[in-house]
Amino acid sequence: MPTADGAHSRRLSSDDVYHQLRTLILENAIAPGERVNIDALARQLGVSQTPIREAVRRLEGDHLLHKVPGKGYQTTPLLDLDSLRQLFEFRLVVDLWAVRAVAVNRLGNPSGWLHEEIERFTRAIVGVPDIRQHLLEHDTRFHGLILGALGNDVVKNAYDQTHCHFHAFRLYSPDTNGALTIEEHARLAHAIEACDPDEAETAMREHLTKAFYRFARAFDDTGNIQLRFPQSPRIF
């Protein structure tokens, strides 16, 4: 079906639209606090408003968009330094407990999946100049595998609802080539494989602490954001 400018619409699903918009928000191509124009997005992507609206609802659930009465949808603000600290304090509670629990579970030990995920990520970033999306997806999957191995849906759902990875990665990319993440995740995977809860907890604590300070580099001494993603091409 031709669009308003005469172009033929592409067969994009709501999933495709969701992932495209999520990428633009995470990379700040759609700036924090900016209004999201559903009509303009539908025209630019060559789709109807239906998949756009479905994607927008999902992004609202991710807390990457919020609805402003009388103004439509806007992207949510970036984390400030205090919010970043609170996010990592939450993770230090949940992730440390989770990693100890899975490290002593010999029958449900997720180390094989963790090693596979590290290998998949390592292969995926070869020759890729900008690994931001790969890094976000890897970090989300890696920690999700640990939480999922608990077999506790309440904890996993509560953790997912914080959208820890989305919000931290909106600040900027703290590990430009992935080497630090690979090293820290590999240490975690080996500790879990060895069923060593003390080493697993230590590795997780050091990983999260280092990650916090990497992300905190986005702020100056007064707590104001000083770093941004390089601007990506806008689509509307």
Side-chain angles (χ1 to χ4, degrees):
M1 180 181 295
T3 59
D5 61 5
H8 287 278
S9 89
R10 287 165 282 176
R11 295 182 180 277
L12 293 178
S13 68
S14 60
D15 276 347
D16 295 327
V17 173
Y18 164 74
H19 287 294
Q20 287 196 28
L21 293 182
R22 189 188 71 170
T23 298
L24 290 168
I25 294 170
L26 291 171
E27 295 183 354
N28 293 334
I30 303 177
E34 183 172 344
R35 180 173 178 267
V36 173
N37 188 316
I38 291 176
D39 291 339
L41 284 170
R43 287 194 300 271
Q44 184 65 34
L45 294 176
V47 297
S48 71
Q49 289 190 12
T50 299
I52 300 290
R53 292 187 183 280
E54 290 176 357
V56 163
R57 282 194 290 270
R58 290 175 65 182
L59 291 165
E60 188 178 18
D62 293 339
H63 307 300
L64 294 176
L65 290 177
H66 68 284
K67 195 169 187 178
V68 180
K71 295 184 179 180
Y73 286 95
Q74 293 181 350
T75 51
T76 53
L78 292 173
L79 291 174
D80 58 25
L81 182 57
D82 190 52
S83 296
L84 180 69
R85 183 179 293 107
Q86 291 176 26
L87 179 63
F88 273 86
E89 286 173 348
F90 168 79
R91 293 193 62 184
L92 281 167
V93 172
V94 178
D95 285 76
L96 264 62
W97 169 73
V99 80
R100 284 195 70 91
V102 300
V104 298
N105 184 358
R106 294 181 181 275
L107 295 178
N109 191 295
S111 60
W113 299 328
L114 297 175
H115 286 300
E116 287 178 9
E117 173 54 34
I118 293 169
E119 291 173 5
R120 186 211 60 77
F121 172 60
T122 304
R123 292 193 302 269
I125 62 175
V126 173
V128 176
D130 185 345
I131 70 165
R132 286 174 293 178
Q133 277 299 311
H134 291 289
L135 184 58
L136 167 61
E137 291 165 3
H138 165 65
D139 203 52
T140 302
R141 278 193 294 263
F142 185 88
H143 288 275
L145 286 168
I146 295 173
L147 268 291
L150 289 171
N152 188 319
D153 291 339
V154 173
V155 172
K156 180 66 164 57
N157 291 338
Y159 186 89
D160 289 344
Q161 284 300 308
T162 65
H163 306 285
C164 301
H165 308 276
F166 284 0
H167 292 302
F169 275 85
R170 288 181 72 194
L171 293 170
Y172 84 118
S173 182
D175 184 10
T176 55
N177 64 7
L180 296 173
T181 298
I182 290 171
E183 178 183 353
E184 291 165 17
H185 282 181
R187 181 184 175 190
L188 275 164
H190 286 302
I192 293 170
E193 182 178 24
C195 297
D196 186 339
D198 291 335
E199 168 62 11
E201 180 179 342
T202 298
M204 180 66 82
R205 180 182 291 106
E206 292 184 7
H207 168 52
L208 292 177
T209 301
K210 290 177 180 178
F212 167 76
Y213 283 110
R214 287 197 290 266
F215 282 115
R217 289 172 52 204
F219 301 90
D220 61 22
D221 292 338
T222 64
N224 294 317
I225 295 174
Q226 62 179 348
L227 298 175
R228 290 287 189 275
F229 279 123
Q231 287 296 305
S232 301
R234 295 182 59 81
I235 65 168
F236 67 94

